[in-house]
Amino acid sequence: MPYTTRRRLVTSAVAVALGATALTACGSDSGDGETESGPVSLTYWTWTPGMDKVVDLWNKGPGKKDQITVTVKKQASGDTLVTKILTAHKAGKAPDLVQAEYQALPTLVSNDALADISKTVGDTKDRFADGVWQQTTLGTDAVYAVPQDIGPMMFYYREDLFKEYGLTVPTTWDEFAETARKLKRAAPDKDLTTFSANDSGLFAGLAQQAGAKWWTTSGDQWKVAINDAATQKVAKFWGGLVKEGAVDNQPMYTPAWNKALNTGKQIAWVSAVWAPGTLTTAAPETKGKWAMAPLPQWSANENRTGSWGGSSTAVTTDSKHQEAAAKFAAWLNTDSDALNALAKEGGIYPAAKNAQTSGAFLKPPAYFSNQADFYSKAADIAETTAPSAWGPNVNVAYTTFKDAFGAAAKNKSDFGSALDKMQDDTVADMKKQGFEVAE
């Protein structure tokens, strides 16, 4: 069957399912359709550091009891891994388990690479925030993965410099803009923060918080709304601040950005729960001077955050032992010993709510030793994670973001036009691949 025709058929089936209240999985519920019995060997592709040590706990404990052994195969992350999974799947040789970022799940599902494991892991739903669990279901009754780690977004600021310049921690985005302007008036050589066009995940998370739904389905078609009203609001807000010079327009993760954080030239950062690790390297001389607060809201009566990062554990349709694989995926991301090991060995922030204030998270990060309630506050914020709506070609949207918004930020030109470019390129790519797209 020609590739384009196959893609239309597969995508149509997934799109119909996404728009329905019930879902029949693209693959079978279990590779052999039977309860597992006898020794089972599973392979797990993952990029998480130290995962082999975590898996050892399974192999020596629950896995040994159930005669289920898991072998870790270390992989690259991001698009590289997605491509490798799809290539292996086309040959019918994908591993039993894969680590997958949330935004990659629609791509893998639309290519019939992930199994519906709802019958085995469905009862773990209450362990996760609703907005987190939703990312593994694609808004359907199916479950394509178990959440592993998340990146709820937060606001980080130099507590000492906020006090020095008489600034109040903003609770709304309007207050955020006024705080940036007040700082510029008091210290023209400093910036509250920067708008960075080199990390599309940040922008996607901000749009998610605003209520964006970039990919949805309508009947048997995909609907793309990257330039929806919510995202236009976000683009206009940041574009306006950049144009007036209220915030910087330089990219993050550069030597210049590190220096700005380390010297106090930039005194705040819109980031996620993993920020302490980055700040430890980027701004070592400011340890103990930062504090964390919830992300500013679009209106005072709102209370939600976006996601920047995070991944899940999925079972492939190629696995001959899907039930056993799903059992391991549930253990890995809900068992207290496994979660403590994941935090210690892999440095992750767990998606499971019970693990966010226990074990490794009883004390604040060393960089934030001045904020004893760091992780309890982080857990409260994580609970407010807004639903997301990912699609089958996030990589194209992200690439266009970097190009179009990169130019707009550098030139201080219209962010709205850059957003339209994201929309147009994403739709064009989907049509080129054979996806049915609603106009």
Side-chain angles (χ1 to χ4, degrees):
M1 183 181 294
Y3 174 78
T4 300
T5 303
R6 179 186 180 279
R7 177 59 70 99
R8 284 197 180 100
L9 292 173
V10 171
T11 304
S12 177
V14 173
V16 170
L18 292 176
T21 56
L23 174 68
T24 301
C26 292
S28 61
D29 291 325
S30 178
D32 52 16
E34 301 290 341
T35 301
E36 303 292 350
S37 61
V40 171
S41 296
L42 306 173
T43 302
Y44 178 26
W45 284 3
T46 174
W47 66 83
T48 299
M51 183 61 80
D52 54 336
K53 296 181 180 178
V54 182
V55 170
D56 277 347
L57 298 177
W58 166 267
N59 290 335
K60 295 175 181 177
K64 184 176 182 179
K65 177 183 177 182
D66 294 338
Q67 300 185 70
I68 301 170
T69 302
V70 178
T71 300
V72 170
K73 298 291 185 181
K74 196 72 176 289
Q75 305 293 324
S77 59
D79 292 343
T80 301
L81 179 55
V82 173
T83 300
K84 186 173 181 178
I85 293 169
L86 293 179
T87 300
H89 172 61
K90 287 178 183 178
K93 296 181 179 179
D96 300 279
L97 295 133
V98 294
Q99 183 176 359
E101 293 177 294
Y102 297 113
Q103 67 265 26
L105 292 176
T107 299
L108 296 171
V109 170
S110 67
N111 281 277
D112 194 25
L114 300 186
D116 173 10
I117 55 176
S118 56
K119 290 183 179 179
T120 305
V121 307
D123 61 355
T124 67
K125 176 181 178 180
D126 293 341
R127 302 290 191 96
F128 309 95
D130 290 343
V132 173
W133 182 257
Q134 173 266 345
Q135 294 193 87
T136 65
T137 68
L138 308 188
T140 72
D141 291 335
V143 179
Y144 293 107
V146 181
Q148 180 166 300
D149 60 300
I150 55 174
M153 294 178 67
M154 303 157 184
F155 179 68
Y156 294 86
Y157 63 100
R158 281 283 298 274
E159 203 169 21
D160 57 334
L161 295 181
F162 262 58
K163 183 177 181 180
E164 179 179 337
Y165 294 110
L167 305 177
T168 302
V169 178
T171 59
T172 67
W173 286 113
D174 284 343
E175 291 177 1
F176 179 93
E178 286 305 315
T179 301
R181 296 176 184 122
K182 183 176 180 179
L183 175 64
K184 269 298 177 187
R185 291 193 294 268
D189 63 326
K190 296 185 182 297
D191 295 290
L192 181 65
T193 191
T194 187
F195 178 84
S196 173
N198 70 344
D199 201 316
S200 39
L202 170 57
F203 184 75
L206 292 172
Q208 178 187 350
Q209 184 213 21
K213 296 287 190 296
W214 283 2
W215 285 270
T216 55
T217 54
S218 177
D220 62 351
Q221 297 178 315
W222 285 94
K223 182 178 181 181
V224 184
I226 291 176
N227 61 350
D228 63 5
T231 312
Q232 288 180 21
K233 177 170 64 176
V234 174
K236 182 179 179 181
F237 175 81
W238 286 97
L241 290 178
V242 168
K243 187 173 183 178
E244 70 176 87
V247 299
D248 198 5
N249 61 346
Q250 300 302 309
M252 299 181 297
Y253 312 124
T254 63
W257 181 73
N258 291 346
K259 183 178 180 180
L261 291 176
N262 203 34
T263 60
K265 183 180 185 300
Q266 181 179 315
I267 70 170
W269 185 25
V270 176
S271 188
V273 70
W274 42 258
T278 300
L279 290 171
T280 298
T281 302
E285 295 178 19
T286 62
K287 178 181 178 180
K289 297 180 179 180
W290 291 76
M292 178 269 285
L295 208 60
Q297 303 293 310
W298 285 104
S299 62
N301 62 348
E302 290 179 343
N303 182 26
R304 59 186 179 187
T305 193
S307 299
W308 186 3
S311 64
S312 62
T313 309
V315 177
T316 72
T317 51
D318 289 346
S319 174
K320 305 301 183 189
H321 307 287
Q322 291 174 18
E323 184 181 337
K327 188 181 296 185
F328 166 78
W331 171 86
L332 179 66
N333 300 303
T334 61
D335 180 82
S336 58
D337 290 338
L339 291 167
N340 283 334
L342 278 172
K344 179 183 177 181
E345 304 294 343
I348 73 159
Y349 182 74
K353 293 184 290 185
N354 65 298
Q356 293 167 1
T357 53
S358 63
F361 304 101
L362 289 172
K363 296 180 180 180
Y367 193 90
F368 281 79
S369 58
N370 56 305
Q371 189 170 4
D373 66 345
F374 183 95
Y375 281 124
S376 61
K377 182 175 288 187
D380 290 341
I381 294 171
E383 182 72 24
T384 70
T385 301
S388 65
W390 302 112
N393 64 338
V394 174
N395 60 321
V396 172
Y398 275 15
T399 297
T400 303
F401 169 83
K402 293 178 183 179
D403 293 340
F405 276 83
K410 181 179 180 180
N411 301 328
K412 298 186 177 183
S413 57
D414 182 27
F415 277 23
S417 296
L419 188 62
D420 289 340
K421 176 67 172 171
M422 277 184 72
Q423 169 77 14
D424 293 344
D425 282 8
T426 303
V427 170
D429 175 75
M430 289 184 70
K431 290 181 176 179
K432 181 180 179 180
Q433 292 191 58
F435 288 99
E436 297 290 340
V437 182
E439 296 296 339

